[in-house]
C-alpha cells in the first residue's frame, strides 16, 4: 500500500498520461496504447481516487466522458448527455455489476446484448421525422456539428418511415467501415506509398472530421443505431425501441439478442468472441443494457456512466513469434518501406508471416534485435503490427537492427528525406521495382485503366526487355507479344485493345498516371483545370504553380524537378506521339447554353457534386458564377449548410434560391425542348 504523498504523485502522473492518450485518441485519431492498457491505467486512477477523494484533480479523466470538441466545426449541446460506458474484461466484474443492480432495484434484470462496433459515436436529432442535426460525441455534453458529413452516409435516413416516431428525439449510433472496404482503402494507400490507416475506428472518426463532405462520401461509411433518447413516453424496453427504430428506417444490428439473463449473456459473449473473426466489421466487445426502461430510470447515472449498462471488452488479439529478418520494399517513387519477416503464427483467423514496420523510427522505437520474440497484434488492426518485444526471450548480445544504407535492388545509396524521415532510392531510371511500379501505377483503374495488363504480365514484359518505361507499352504489337508465355491470341487482342482505348483517357487522368511525385488524383484535376495543357504546365514557373489553391511549394518543386529531367521530357514526347491526351478537350469546354445569361452564387455542400465541379457545370452550360450576392444575381444555388448571410441577403433582395436538383432540371428541360 502506498502512502498519501506517493498516491498524490501517482494520481498526477496517471491524470496527465490518460488525458494525453485521450487527446491523441479523440482529436488526432491515434491510438498510442491499446484499449486494454488504457483501461488498466484508468482503473488504477479510479481506485486511487476512491481511496483519496480529496486528491481528485479538476481535469481528472474519471470525471468526464473522455472526448473533446475540435475548432473546425460549430459546437452545440446534445439534447441529452452522451454518457460513456463502464467496461470490464472479466465475468467476475459482470457478476459485481449485476449485484449492484439487484441492491438498488431488488430483482435480477434481463439484458439486451449488442455488439460494440469499433467506430465513432454520433448523435442524430430528428424533428417531425426529418434529420435536422448530427453531432459527434465530443465531451458528452457538447459535440461538433457534422451534419453535412453524416448526410453523405447512405445507411442514415434523412426522412423517417411511418408516423409513430416521437416529434423530437435523438438517436445514437456508431459510424464504422466494413472490413473489406477498409482493406481495399489501405491497399490503395500502400500502392500510392501513403501511410495506411491504423484501424477502422480511427478511419471512421477521422473521416467525420473532414471539412470536405464530398471526400467523406467516397469513404463507404456505414452507421448502426443502438439507442433512442427522448422524453416522450411510449417505449418500454430497449429491444422494443430497437425494433421501432428499424421500422422507422434505421439500420439496427441483426446480431442484437435479448432479453437474456446474465448467465445467457455470458454464453452469448463467449460465442461471439469465437466468431468475431468471421464478422464483416470490427467489434471490440459486447454491450449489456438492462432491457426494462423503468428499471433503467430507477438505476440512473453516475457522473460519467449509466448504472444500467456496461461494456464487456475483448482483449486485442495478440500472438508471439520470432522475428526472422527485415526486408526493404521499394515503391514506384523510390520510397523504402521496411517489412518484418516472421515465423508463421496463427492470429485472428489468418496466418501471419509479415508485418509492416513503416519506417526507421518504428524500428528504433521497438528496439528490434535479431531473433527477437515479438508481440503481434491484430485487434481493430486489419494490418498486423508489431507492438513490442518479449525481452525475457532476447538472445544475449544479439545484434540491433539498423536501417539499410543501400537499395537492395540496385545498390544505390539511400537518401533520407528531411521533411518526412523516409528513405529514398533516387535511381529511378534504373531501379527495377521503381520502373515496374511506375508502369503498374500508369495502367491502374483510376489512371489509364488498361485492362489485361496485370503485375505478372508487366514483370514478364520487363524481363524480356520489351518495356523499360510506360511509353514502351504503345510500341507493343501482336508480333512481339505472341512470343510470350501464357499469352494466347485472345489475351493479346484484349491487351492491344486496352492500350488503344487508353488513348481517349482525359488529360487529368493522364497527368495522374505519369507519376509525378505528390501529384495525386485531386492535384492532377486542379492542375489540368488551371493550365489546360501539359505544355502550359511545363512552362509554368515554380511561383505560379505554388500559388494555385491547395498546391503549395512542396508539390510545385516536385513538378518543376520532374520537367527538368531530359528522360521525362523524352517520355512525354513519346506519349504524345502515341496519341495520348495532353490537353483539355475542346468539346468539354462547353456542354450547352441552357444557363446562358444567368448569374449564380454557389453555397453549401452538395450531394452529387463537389463545389468546383458544380461551378464548372454551370459555366459549361453558359452560366456565370460569382462569389457574392448582389441585386444583379439571378440564382443562389444552395446545398447542405449554406452560408446564412448569403441566404439572408438573397431573401432580402428577392433572389431565387434553388437546389442542385432544380439546377439539373433547368438544364434537362432546356435540352428536351
Amino acid at each position: 500500500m502506498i502512502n498519501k504523498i506517493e498516491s498524490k504523485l501517482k494520481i498526477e502522473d496517471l491524470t496527465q498520461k490518460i488525458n494525453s492518450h485521450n487527446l491523441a485518441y479523440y482529436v488526432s485519431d491515434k491510438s498510442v496504447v491499446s484499449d486494454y492498457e488504457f483501461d488498466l491505467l484508468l482503473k488504477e486512477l479510479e481506485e486511487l481516487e476512491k481511496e483519496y477523494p480529496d486528491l481528485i484533480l479538476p481535469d481528472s479523466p474519471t470525471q468526464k466522458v473522455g472526448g473533446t470538441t475540435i475548432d473546425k466545426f460549430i459546437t452545440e449541446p446534445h439534447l441529452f448527455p452522451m454518457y460513456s460506458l463502464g467496461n470490464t474484461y472479466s465475468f467476475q466484474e459482470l457478476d459485481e455489476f449485476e449485484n449492484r443492480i439487484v441492491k438498488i432495484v431488488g430483482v435480477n434484470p434481463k439484458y439486451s446484448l449488442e455488439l460494440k462496433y469499433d467506430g465513432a459515436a454520433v448523435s442524430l436529432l430528428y424533428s417531425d421525422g426529418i434529420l435536422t442535426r448530427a453531432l459527434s460525441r465530443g465531451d458528452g455534453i457538447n459535440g461538433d456539428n457534422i451534419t453535412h458529413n453524416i448526410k453523405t452516409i447512405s445507411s442514415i435516413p434523412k426522412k423517417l418511415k411511418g408516423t409513430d416516431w416521437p416529434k423530437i428525439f435523438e438517436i445514437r449510433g456508431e459510424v464504422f467501415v466494413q472490413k473489406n472496404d477498409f482493406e481495399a482503402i489501405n491497399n490503395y494507400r500502400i500502392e500510392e506509398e501513403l501511410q495506411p490507416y491504423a484501424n477502422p475506428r480511427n478511419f471512421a472518426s477521422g473521416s467525420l472530421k473532414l471539412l470536405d463532405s464530398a471526400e467523406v462520401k467516397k469513404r463507404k461509411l456505414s452507421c448502426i443505431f443502438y439507442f433512442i433518447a427522448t422524453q416522450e413516453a411510449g417505449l418500454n424496453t430497449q429491444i422494443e425501441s430497437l425494433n421501432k427504430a428499424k421500422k422507422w428506417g434505421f439500420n439496427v444490428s441483426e446480431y442484437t439478442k435479448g432479453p437474456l439473463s446474465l448467465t445467457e449473456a455470458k454464453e452469448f459473449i463467449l460465442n461471439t468472441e469465437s466468431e468475431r473473426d468471421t464478422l464483416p466489421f470490427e467489434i471490440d466487445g459486447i454491450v449489456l443494457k438492462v432491457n426494462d426502461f423503468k428499471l433503467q430510470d430507477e438505476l440512473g447515472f453516475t457522473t460519467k456512466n449509466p448504472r444500467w449498462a456496461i461494456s464487456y471488452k475483448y482483449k486485442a488479439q495478440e500472438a508471439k513469434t520470432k522475428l526472422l529478418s527485415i526486408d526493404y520494399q521499394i515503391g514506384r517513387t523510390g520510397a523504402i518501406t521496411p517489412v518484418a519477416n516472421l515465423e508463421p503464427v496463427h492470429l485472428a483467423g489468418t496466418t501471419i508471416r509479415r508485418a509492416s514496420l513503416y519506417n526507421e523510427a518504428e524500428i528504433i522505437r521497438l528496439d528490434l534485435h535479431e531473433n527477437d520474440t515479438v508481440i503481434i497484434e491484430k485487434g481493430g488492426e486489419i494490418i498486423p503490427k508489431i507492438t513490442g518485444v518479449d525481452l525475457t526471450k532476447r538472445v544475449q548480445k544479439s545484434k540491433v537492427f539498423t536501417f539499410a544504407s543501400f537499395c537492395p535492388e540496385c545498390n544505390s545509396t539511400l537518401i533520407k528525406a528531411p521533411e518526412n524521415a523516409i528513405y529514398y532510392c533516387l535511381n529511378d531510371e534504373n531501379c527495377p521495382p521503381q520502373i515496374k511500379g511506375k508502369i503498374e501505377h500508369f495502367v491502374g483503374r483510376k489512371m489509364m485503366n488498361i485492362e489485361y495488363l496485370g503485375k505478372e504480365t508487366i514483370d514478364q514484359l520487363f524481363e524480356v526487355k520489351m518495356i523499360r518505361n510506360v511509353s514502351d507499352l504503345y510500341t507493343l504489337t501482336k508480333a512481339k507479344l505472341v512470343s510470350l508465355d501464357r499469352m494466347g491470341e485472345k489475351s493479346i487482342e484484349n491487351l492491344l485493345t486496352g492500350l488503344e482505348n487508353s488513348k481517349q483517357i482525359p488529360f487529368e487522368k493522364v497527368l495522374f498516371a505519369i507519376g509525378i511525385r505528390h501529384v495525386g488524383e485531386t492535384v492532377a484535376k486542379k492542375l489540368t483545370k488551371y493550365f489546360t495543357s501539359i505544355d502550359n504546365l511545363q512552362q509554368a514557373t515554380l511561383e505560379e504553380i505554388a500559388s494555385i489553391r491547395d498546391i503549395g511549394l512542396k508539390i510545385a518543386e516536385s513538378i518543376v524537378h520532374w520537367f527538368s529531367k531530359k528522360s521525362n521530357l523524352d517520355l512525354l514526347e513519346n506519349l504524345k506521339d502515341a496519341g495520348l491526351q495532353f490537353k483539355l478537350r475542346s468539346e468539354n469546354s462547353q456542354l450547352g447554353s441552357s444557363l446562358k445569361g444567368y448569374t449564380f452564387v454557389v453555397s453549401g455542400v452538395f450531394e452529387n457534386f463537389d463545389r468546383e465541379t458544380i461551378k464548372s457545370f454551370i459555366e459549361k452550360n453558359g452560366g456565370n458564377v460569382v462569389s457574392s450576392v448582389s441585386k444583379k444575381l439571378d440564382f443562389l444555388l444552395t446545398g447542405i449548410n449554406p452560408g446564412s448571410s448569403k441566404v439572408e441577403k438573397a431573401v432580402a433582395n428577392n433572389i431565387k434560391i434553388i437546389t442542385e436538383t432544380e439546377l439539373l432540371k433547368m438544364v434537362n428541360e432546356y435540352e428536351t425542348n
Side-chain angles (χ1 to χ4, degrees):
M1 179 71 68
I2 59 176
N3 60 37
K4 189 168 184 177
I5 294 174
E6 291 171 326
S7 296
K8 181 177 183 297
L9 294 173
K10 190 65 177 175
I11 285 172
E12 290 172 353
D13 179 58
L14 287 168
T15 298
Q16 186 275 326
K17 278 183 181 174
I18 295 169
N19 283 337
S20 175
H21 294 331
N22 267 333
L23 186 67
Y25 178 87
Y26 286 101
V27 178
S28 304
D29 300 308
K30 294 179 181 177
S31 300
V32 180
V33 294
S34 70
D35 285 0
Y36 182 63
E37 291 172 292
F38 178 87
D39 290 336
L40 288 179
L41 291 174
L42 191 61
K43 194 171 188 67
E44 184 180 2
L45 179 60
E46 287 171 346
E47 292 298 324
L48 285 169
E49 289 181 343
K50 192 182 295 182
E51 188 173 354
Y52 300 106
D54 57 314
L55 297 181
I56 297 175
L57 296 171
D59 63 340
S60 172
T62 65
Q63 307 303 302
K64 57 183 180 180
V65 171
T68 186
T69 57
I70 56 177
D71 58 9
K72 295 177 185 175
F73 298 93
I74 297 170
T75 300
E76 298 182 35
H78 296 286
L79 282 187
F80 303 93
M82 222 174 155
Y83 291 93
S84 63
L85 290 174
N87 57 61
T88 179
Y89 292 86
S90 77
F91 280 178
Q92 181 183 338
E93 290 187 353
L94 284 185
D95 292 335
E96 293 169 3
F97 168 73
E98 178 159 276
N99 290 339
R100 291 193 295 271
I101 290 173
V102 173
K103 276 187 179 179
I104 297 172
V105 300
V107 295
N108 292 89
K110 296 284 188 178
Y111 301 94
S112 74
L113 276 291
E114 302 164 26
L115 304 188
K116 191 173 183 298
Y117 286 71
D118 205 9
V122 294
S123 181
L124 278 53
L125 177 67
Y126 284 81
S127 179
D128 292 322
I130 304 295
L131 174 60
T132 58
R133 188 187 72 177
L135 300 182
S136 66
R137 178 194 291 278
D139 61 7
I141 304 300
N142 301 290
D144 292 314
N145 189 318
I146 52 172
T147 309
H148 63 296
N149 285 340
I150 287 295
K151 284 187 174 180
T152 69
I153 301 174
S154 59
S155 58
I156 294 178
K158 284 53 170 192
K159 184 177 181 179
L160 301 183
K161 298 176 184 177
T163 57
D164 59 341
W165 19 259
K167 184 175 176 60
I168 296 177
F169 71 97
E170 282 185 333
I171 186 165
R172 275 67 195 268
E174 195 83 2
V175 172
F176 66 99
V177 62
Q178 300 277 354
K179 285 179 181 176
N180 57 351
D181 289 331
F182 181 72
E183 193 162 3
I185 289 163
N186 262 349
N187 286 339
Y188 176 74
R189 290 183 68 83
I190 290 168
E191 287 170 11
E192 293 303 303
E193 295 174 356
L194 299 170
Q195 185 86 354
Y197 296 107
N199 53 54
R201 175 180 56 202
N202 289 7
F203 173 76
S205 179
S207 297
L208 295 181
K209 294 174 184 177
L210 294 174
L211 296 179
D212 183 358
S213 60
E215 177 61 29
V216 179
K217 190 174 183 178
K218 297 176 186 175
R219 295 194 168 202
K220 299 183 179 180
L221 298 173
S222 301
C223 188
I224 203 84
F225 292 92
Y226 55 78
F227 184 73
I228 297 170
T230 178
Q231 290 182 333
E232 294 187 36
L235 298 172
N236 299 309
T237 69
Q238 172 68 2
I239 297 295
E240 179 192 347
S241 73
L242 292 179
N243 289 335
K244 281 280 190 182
K246 189 174 183 180
K247 288 180 181 178
W248 298 338
F250 291 106
N251 189 20
V252 174
S253 176
E254 62 185 280
Y255 300 94
T256 298
K257 298 292 181 185
L260 301 178
S261 67
L262 185 59
T263 300
E264 293 168 325
K266 290 175 181 177
E267 185 178 350
F268 176 79
I269 288 167
L270 292 174
N271 289 340
T272 304
E273 184 171 23
S274 67
E275 297 170 2
R276 65 188 285 208
D277 297 334
T278 66
L279 294 172
F281 43 79
E282 288 292 342
I283 64 170
D284 60 357
I286 302 294
V287 177
L288 293 80
K289 296 175 185 170
V290 171
N291 189 47
D292 191 309
F293 283 167
K294 286 182 180 177
L295 293 182
Q296 286 189 13
D297 289 341
E298 193 174 343
L299 289 163
F301 299 83
T302 68
T303 56
K304 189 180 176 185
N305 313 121
R307 291 192 178 92
W308 42 265
I310 193 169
S311 167
Y312 182 93
K313 298 280 287 289
Y314 296 132
K315 290 182 181 179
Q317 292 154 298
E318 291 183 343
K320 290 183 180 180
T321 189
K322 184 175 284 189
L323 173 61
L324 302 176
S325 62
I326 295 178
D327 284 345
Y328 295 89
Q329 295 179 339
I330 300 94
R332 65 178 176 86
T333 65
I336 308 295
T337 303
V339 178
N341 294 307
L342 308 168
E343 199 168 85
V345 61
H346 194 72
L347 176 64
T350 57
T351 299
I352 308 299
R353 292 180 172 86
R354 288 160 71 82
S356 175
L357 289 167
Y358 303 118
N359 51 39
E360 180 188 36
E362 186 70 357
I363 294 174
I364 293 171
R365 184 186 74 80
L366 292 166
D367 185 30
L368 294 176
H369 289 222
E370 289 182 353
N371 297 312
D372 266 347
T373 296
V374 293
I375 302 163
I376 308 296
E377 183 177 297
K378 192 182 180 190
E381 323 297 325
I382 298 297
I383 300 171
K385 66 177 183 180
I386 297 176
T387 59
V389 176
D390 185 345
L391 296 177
T392 64
K393 296 184 178 180
R394 172 167 285 173
V395 178
Q396 286 189 354
K397 297 183 180 179
S398 58
K399 189 177 178 182
V400 177
F401 275 109
T402 56
F403 205 87
S405 301
F406 300 95
C407 175
E409 293 287 338
C410 68
N411 208 37
S412 298
T413 302
L414 300 181
I415 304 299
K416 189 175 185 179
E419 73 274 9
N420 57 15
I422 294 174
Y423 281 87
Y424 287 90
C425 169
L426 301 183
N427 184 23
D428 58 330
E429 294 178 28
N430 298 297
C431 186
Q434 292 188 62
I435 297 170
K436 290 188 282 187
K438 287 174 185 175
I439 298 171
E440 288 170 27
H441 170 80
F442 182 83
V443 305
R445 184 176 57 84
K446 288 193 171 186
M447 284 65 72
M448 303 304 288
N449 195 25
I450 303 172
E451 295 186 270
Y452 308 102
L453 194 52
K455 185 178 185 302
E456 287 185 5
T457 304
I458 290 170
D459 286 344
Q460 191 177 9
L461 290 167
F462 184 84
E463 292 306 317
V464 298
K465 300 183 179 179
M466 283 192 194
I467 57 173
R468 278 295 177 268
N469 59 50
V470 297
S471 70
D472 290 339
L473 294 171
Y474 296 94
T475 67
L476 296 174
T477 62
K478 185 175 181 179
K480 288 182 179 180
L481 293 171
V482 76
S483 64
L484 296 179
D485 295 338
R486 302 187 303 278
M487 286 292 280
E489 189 168 331
K490 187 64 177 175
S491 297
I492 292 171
E493 182 184 331
N494 288 334
L495 173 52
L496 293 175
T497 300
L499 284 165
E500 190 62 30
N501 291 342
S502 74
K503 295 176 184 180
Q504 301 306 315
I505 294 293
F507 175 33
E508 64 185 44
K509 289 184 177 289
V510 179
L511 182 59
F512 179 27
I514 59 177
I516 302 173
R517 186 178 293 176
H518 306 312
V519 177
E521 186 178 12
T522 302
V523 170
K525 286 179 181 178
K526 291 181 184 294
L527 291 170
T528 52
K529 183 177 179 182
Y530 186 91
F531 291 106
T532 72
S533 75
I534 196 75
D535 292 335
N536 291 340
L537 177 59
Q538 180 182 342
Q539 293 161 16
T541 65
L542 178 70
E543 292 74 17
E544 185 179 5
I545 299 171
S547 68
I548 300 171
R549 185 178 177 184
D550 299 327
I551 300 298
L553 187 61
K554 181 180 177 182
I555 297 173
E557 287 175 341
S558 179
I559 294 168
V560 170
H561 175 71
W562 193 89
F563 281 110
S564 71
K565 298 182 71 171
K566 183 179 182 303
S567 57
N568 291 333
L569 298 181
D570 292 341
L571 177 74
L572 276 184
E573 288 305 312
N574 291 336
L575 291 175
K576 287 177 182 178
D577 291 342
L580 273 64
Q581 303 293 321
F582 284 102
K583 292 181 181 179
L584 281 180
R585 292 173 179 169
S586 58
E587 63 263 30
N588 286 344
S589 61
Q590 194 69 28
L591 299 174
S593 56
S594 55
L595 305 178
K596 188 175 181 180
Y598 293 126
T599 303
F600 296 78
V601 165
V602 177
S603 183
V605 177
F606 300 89
E607 290 192 0
N608 299 307
F609 301 86
D610 60 39
R611 288 277 290 277
E612 294 305 315
T613 303
I614 206 164
K615 287 179 183 179
S616 176
F617 178 81
I618 291 169
E619 290 168 349
K620 287 175 181 177
N621 281 282
N624 183 37
V625 180
V626 295
S627 59
S628 59
V629 176
S630 69
K631 291 180 180 180
K632 296 180 180 180
L633 188 70
D634 295 300
F635 299 100
L636 173 62
L637 175 64
T638 59
I640 302 165
N641 289 346
S644 57
S645 62
K646 289 181 178 177
V647 173
E648 289 169 5
K649 200 168 182 181
V651 171
N653 287 284
N654 203 28
I655 292 163
K656 189 169 183 180
I657 301 173
I658 63 170
T659 64
E660 63 181 298
T661 303
E662 291 169 310
L663 175 72
L664 294 172
K665 190 177 179 183
M666 287 170 66
V667 173
N668 292 334
E669 284 180 349
Y670 179 91
E671 291 175 349
T672 54
N673 288 337

